[in-house]
């Protein structure tokens, strides 16, 4: 009989998922595919000149400055109007001057201020020499598209092409453009071009992740896919699978220039080349490597990438109206069904409700009795949570005093020696600080609890799930797909405060509760970035730079402390 409520909950969730989905009609493609004229040969020539003439052009260097002047002259020679946007950030603990090249081709109707934004980054990772694919390929496509559209009648909407700086340090250039834009709502759509010329690319992938928040609009992604389908011989443009959509929205840390646009509410996507599985190792070896040269670039590949970018731009220019969308979603392409809005949020809220229900039923005492002992349980909890928060603050202090390197937004770049060679002195001080903070926290909790009534374990568990539920509500408001991190925490319902050898079983359930975090660390650290355990060093740097925000750190440590409070013995006797 005890299984009936669980079965009913599962049935209810599935019913909401099915009933909450709505059908979508296919986007209306209105541009003429015969107008496509992108030349891979021309793009290849532009890329070759760009990357061989301006090697070692990472942000803040003289080469970086020279390349911006070259780009301005190139755009202006085709009839575009360009200007520099200069500003300064602190990176690697030193001031770094940055520069965007912002070029415009006015639309045919001066009364219509709307624009289509296309960006590629002119900087490169400091671990490369030519930076051909990343992002000489995007710059070459951008330049050739500028040539094509300037040779035609004025477009319906203003075209804005931006060669951004400091993409490698957190998409700082595109972030700068949307942050300083007088009215981002005038941007119809944003397109990022990056990693598009390798000879083994055979399709187009789309990145939709926002920078710390948001997800690319579904209408734009489907329009990009269908605009390519409308022309003969173009590559397939892949939509993200539902599981990938959920993971993308759960961990909104972008790695391409569409990220800041999406976070600002601009419909945006990033185009990047896709490749067969057998090229995965070679692709990683070339990424942010001195081997990223023209030797691996292909005119045919640039033709495939550039034509798809051109097709999407022409389709956007042919449209008179644009769909209004907002909020998270899951799209099922096979059935053209989308789950969003109230039905999706009901699923999130029902899931969070499980923790409040768990708070009510935890332990054998009545709710009133548990609440009477909550002050003691809270002291026990704070003795674990506040030391974790203090250690996060310690990382910020390390930056201020120079123990850790200061970055503007993201820590260094992939394969950067700063990330691949941990500062063991900083790591030692971090763990020393954590140890001292925990000792102080436990002693202060012990002093408070010395003269208090003994805590019932049910009160500890009840308070722990109440805190997790409150964190869950915060997540629903900020980024509901991040509730994915709380799914394994359901294993903590099986923690019962066992004594003796049974404590090992409680510890096992506690570890299972962190399964998603472990899986993500493995995926990013060991599989995607191949950092191994040095990913944990990058993780510390992500906290110190604010890549992981303080509010997110508070929420994460609050949940961790809730789990620890159930397996760490409080500094007094516990009533079972």
């Amino acid at each position: 009989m005890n299984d009936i409520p669980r079965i009913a909950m599962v049935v209810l969730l599935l019913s909401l998922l099915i009933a909450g989905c709505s059908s979508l009609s296919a986007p209306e493609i209105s541009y003429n595919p015969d107008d496509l004229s992108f030349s891979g040969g021309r793009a290849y020539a532009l890329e070759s000149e760009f990357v061989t003439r301006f090697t070692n052009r990472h942000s803040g260097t003289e080469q970086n400055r020279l390349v911006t002047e070259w780009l301005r002259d190139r755009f202006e020679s085709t009839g575009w109007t360009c200007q520099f946007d200069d500003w300064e950030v602190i990176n690697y603990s030193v001031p770094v001057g940055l520069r965007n090249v912002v070029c415009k081709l006015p639309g045919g109707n001066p009364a219509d201020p709307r624009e289509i934004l296309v960006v590629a980054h002119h900087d490169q990772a400091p671990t490369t020499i030519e930076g051909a694919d990343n992002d000489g390929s995007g710059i070459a496509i951008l330049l050739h598209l500028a040539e094509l559209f300037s040779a035609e009648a004025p477009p319906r909407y203003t075209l804005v092409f931006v060669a951004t700086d400091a993409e490698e340090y957190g998409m700082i250039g595109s972030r700068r453009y949307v942050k300083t834009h007088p009215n981002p709502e005038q941007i119809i759509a944003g397109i990022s071009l990056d990693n598009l010329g390798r000879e083994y690319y055979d399709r187009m992938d789309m990145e939709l992740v926002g920078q710390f928040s948001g997800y690319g609009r579904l209408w734009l992604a489907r329009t990009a896919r269908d605009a390519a389908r409308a022309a003969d011989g173009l590559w397939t443009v892949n939509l993200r699978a539902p599981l990938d959509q959920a993971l993308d929205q759960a961990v909104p840390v972008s790695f391409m220039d569409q990220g800041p646009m999406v976070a600002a509410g601009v419909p945006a996507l990033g185009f990047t080349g896709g490749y067969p599985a057998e090229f995965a190792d070679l692709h990683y070896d070339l990424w942010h490597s001195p081997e990223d040269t023209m030797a691996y670039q292909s005119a045919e590949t640039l033709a495939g990438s550039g034509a798809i970018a051109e097709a999407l731009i022409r389709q956007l220019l042919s449209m008179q109206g644009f769909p209004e969308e907002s909020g998270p979603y899951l799209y099922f392409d096979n059935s053209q069904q989308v789950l969003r809005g109230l039905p999706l949020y009901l699923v999130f809220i029902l899931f969070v409700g499980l923790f409040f229900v768990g708070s009510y039923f935890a332990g054998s005492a009545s709710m009133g009795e548990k609440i009477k002992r909550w002050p003691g349980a809270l002291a026990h909890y704070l003795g674990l949570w506040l030391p974790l928060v203090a250690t996060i603050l310690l990382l910020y202090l390390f930056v201020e005093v120079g123990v850790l390197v200061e970055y503007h937004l993201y820590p260094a770049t992939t394969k950067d020696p700063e990330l691949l060679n941990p500062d063991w002195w900083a790591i030692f001080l971090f763990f020393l600080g954590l140890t001292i903070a925990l000792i102080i926290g436990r002693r202060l909790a012990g002093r408070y609890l010395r003269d208090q009534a003994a805590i019932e374990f049910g009160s500890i568990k009840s308070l722990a799930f109440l805190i997790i539920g409150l964190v869950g509500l915060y997540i629903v408001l900020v980024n509901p797909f991040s509730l994915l991190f709380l799914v394994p925490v359901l294993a903590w319902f099986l923690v019962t405060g066992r004594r003796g050898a049974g404590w090992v079983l409680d510890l096992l359930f506690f570890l299972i509760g962190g399964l998603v975090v472990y899986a993500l660390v493995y995926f990013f650290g060991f599989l995607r970035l191949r950092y191994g355990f040095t990913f944990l060093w990058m993780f510390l740097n992500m906290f110190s730079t604010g890549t992981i925000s303080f509010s997110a750190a508070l929420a994460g440590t609050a949940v961790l402390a809730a789990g620890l409070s159930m397996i760490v013995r409080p500094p007094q006797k516990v009533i079972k």
Side-chain angles (χ1 to χ4, degrees):
M1 294 295 292
N2 291 334
D3 289 333
I4 292 178
R6 300 173 190 170
I7 295 172
M9 181 65 71
V10 171
V11 171
L12 178 60
L13 287 173
L14 290 175
S15 299
L16 282 171
L17 283 170
I18 295 171
C21 287
S22 57
S23 298
L24 295 176
S25 58
E28 181 182 348
I29 302 302
S30 49
Y31 85 101
N32 184 359
D34 293 335
D35 290 338
L36 298 178
S37 56
F38 194 89
S39 167
R42 176 57 179 161
Y44 187 88
L46 288 167
E47 181 184 356
S48 182
E49 181 180 0
F50 174 69
V51 306
T52 57
R53 183 173 177 179
F54 300 101
T55 57
N56 300 298
R57 59 183 182 278
H58 48 282
S59 298
T61 63
E62 180 61 24
Q63 282 288 85
N64 182 275
R65 288 282 157 162
L66 292 174
V67 82
T68 59
E69 296 172 2
W70 182 85
L71 285 167
R72 178 196 57 189
D73 294 343
R74 279 284 185 176
F75 279 110
E76 289 185 342
S77 69
T78 60
W80 290 61
T81 301
C82 298
Q83 63 181 24
F84 292 144
D85 179 21
D86 293 284
W87 75 105
E88 188 177 87
V89 300
I90 301 296
N91 222 27
Y92 294 91
S93 296
V94 296
V96 179
L98 303 179
R99 174 181 285 174
N100 283 347
V101 185
V102 182
C103 300
K104 295 184 179 182
L105 186 66
N109 181 5
D112 190 341
R114 289 180 292 178
E115 67 185 61
I116 295 170
L117 173 64
V118 189
V119 307
H121 65 94
H122 62 73
D123 67 304
Q124 64 186 67
T127 50
T128 59
I129 298 172
E130 290 188 2
D133 201 48
N134 189 7
D135 187 27
S137 61
I139 288 291
I141 292 173
L142 196 69
L143 286 170
H144 185 37
L145 288 172
E147 294 173 341
L148 296 179
F149 285 106
S150 64
E152 301 173 1
R156 170 176 284 171
Y157 309 110
T158 294
L159 294 178
V160 180
F161 285 6
V162 183
T164 58
D165 203 351
E167 187 271 352
E168 298 293 357
Y169 299 110
M171 298 105 249
I172 298 175
S174 60
R175 183 183 178 93
R176 165 81 174 183
Y177 182 80
V178 293
K179 287 284 187 181
T180 59
H181 197 288
N183 187 3
E185 292 183 357
Q186 293 176 352
I187 304 175
I188 293 169
I191 304 168
S192 168
L193 306 173
D194 205 345
N195 294 275
L196 294 164
R198 294 248 171 90
E199 58 189 3
Y200 50 77
Y201 293 158
D202 63 355
R203 64 180 186 272
M204 185 68 79
D205 287 341
M206 287 186 287
E207 293 289 338
L208 303 174
V209 180
Q211 191 175 54
F212 310 137
S213 65
Y215 199 56
R217 306 289 174 85
L218 180 57
W219 74 262
L220 181 61
R222 297 175 76 232
T223 298
R225 191 268 309 274
D226 287 8
R229 283 180 174 176
D232 293 333
L234 294 193
W235 282 350
T236 298
V237 177
N238 290 332
L239 291 173
R240 303 285 284 171
L243 178 59
D244 293 325
Q245 296 170 35
L247 289 172
D248 288 346
Q249 294 176 83
V251 191
V253 180
S254 58
F255 290 95
M256 287 179 59
D257 266 331
Q258 90 288 334
M261 304 179 212
V262 171
V266 175
L269 58 81
F271 277 142
T272 188
Y275 50 86
E278 60 266 27
F279 289 98
D281 288 339
L282 175 62
H283 187 70
Y284 179 82
D285 292 340
L286 297 177
W287 185 36
H288 286 183
S289 160
E291 300 303 313
D292 181 13
T293 67
M294 289 301 298
Y296 291 95
Q297 297 295 285
S298 161
E300 291 75 18
T301 300
L302 289 167
S305 301
I308 288 174
E310 182 188 358
L312 176 56
I313 295 170
R314 291 193 183 280
Q315 170 60 25
L316 293 170
L317 289 172
S318 72
M319 297 169 65
Q320 297 187 30
F322 303 91
E324 292 290 335
E325 293 179 353
S326 62
Y329 63 83
L330 282 177
Y331 175 64
F332 305 90
D333 193 39
N334 289 338
S335 60
Q336 297 192 51
Q337 298 274 319
V338 63
L339 179 65
R340 64 174 4 136
L342 181 60
L344 183 59
Y345 273 94
L346 282 175
V347 175
F348 295 139
I349 292 170
L350 284 173
F351 173 72
V352 172
L354 292 175
F355 294 103
F356 289 109
V357 171
S359 176
Y360 183 84
F361 286 106
S364 57
S366 67
M367 194 64 191
E369 288 297 317
K370 285 184 288 193
I371 291 175
K372 287 180 182 179
R373 293 189 173 94
W374 270 4
L378 180 61
H380 171 52
Y381 170 80
L382 291 176
L384 295 166
W385 181 49
L386 292 181
L388 296 177
V389 174
T391 311
I392 300 297
L393 295 174
L394 183 63
L395 290 174
Y396 300 154
L397 177 63
F398 283 177
V399 172
E400 292 298 321
V401 301
V403 174
L404 286 174
V405 176
E406 181 178 358
Y407 301 97
H408 182 70
L409 199 62
Y410 282 22
T413 62
T414 309
K415 298 185 179 178
D416 194 313
E418 287 284 350
L419 291 182
L420 295 177
N421 298 286
D423 185 337
W424 296 108
W425 172 243
I427 291 174
F428 168 76
L429 290 177
F430 170 78
F431 281 107
L432 177 63
L434 176 60
T435 301
I436 293 173
L438 284 171
I439 290 173
I440 293 173
R442 302 311 293 152
R443 287 188 175 179
L444 290 176
R447 285 188 180 183
Y448 174 81
L449 293 171
R450 185 180 302 158
D451 301 320
Q452 301 295 314
I455 310 172
E456 183 212 17
F457 177 77
S459 296
I460 296 174
K461 189 172 182 178
S462 175
L463 179 65
F465 283 121
L466 174 65
I467 290 169
I468 295 171
L470 292 173
V471 171
L473 286 180
Y474 164 78
I475 293 173
V476 168
L477 294 174
V478 174
N479 181 21
F481 272 102
S482 290
L483 289 174
L484 174 67
F485 292 104
L486 295 186
V487 172
V489 171
L490 294 173
W492 291 353
F493 280 105
L494 302 176
V495 175
T496 60
R498 296 172 179 84
R499 298 173 181 173
W503 179 80
V504 176
L505 195 57
D506 278 349
L507 178 61
L508 175 63
F509 292 135
F510 170 77
L511 293 176
I512 292 173
L515 190 61
V516 169
V517 176
Y518 309 145
L520 287 173
V521 169
Y522 178 81
F523 174 75
F524 283 103
F526 288 82
L527 292 184
R528 183 169 184 181
L529 301 180
R530 305 190 190 185
Y531 275 3
F533 287 106
T534 59
F535 179 76
L536 301 179
W537 168 242
M538 179 182 180
F539 207 55
L540 290 183
N541 280 270
M542 290 175 73
F543 278 106
S544 70
T545 60
T547 305
I548 299 175
S549 68
F550 185 61
S551 59
L554 288 179
T557 52
V559 174
L560 175 60
L564 286 172
S565 71
M566 290 187 281
I567 64 167
V568 173
R569 294 182 183 278
Q572 67 159 206
K573 184 178 179 181
V574 178
I575 300 175
K576 287 295 292 180

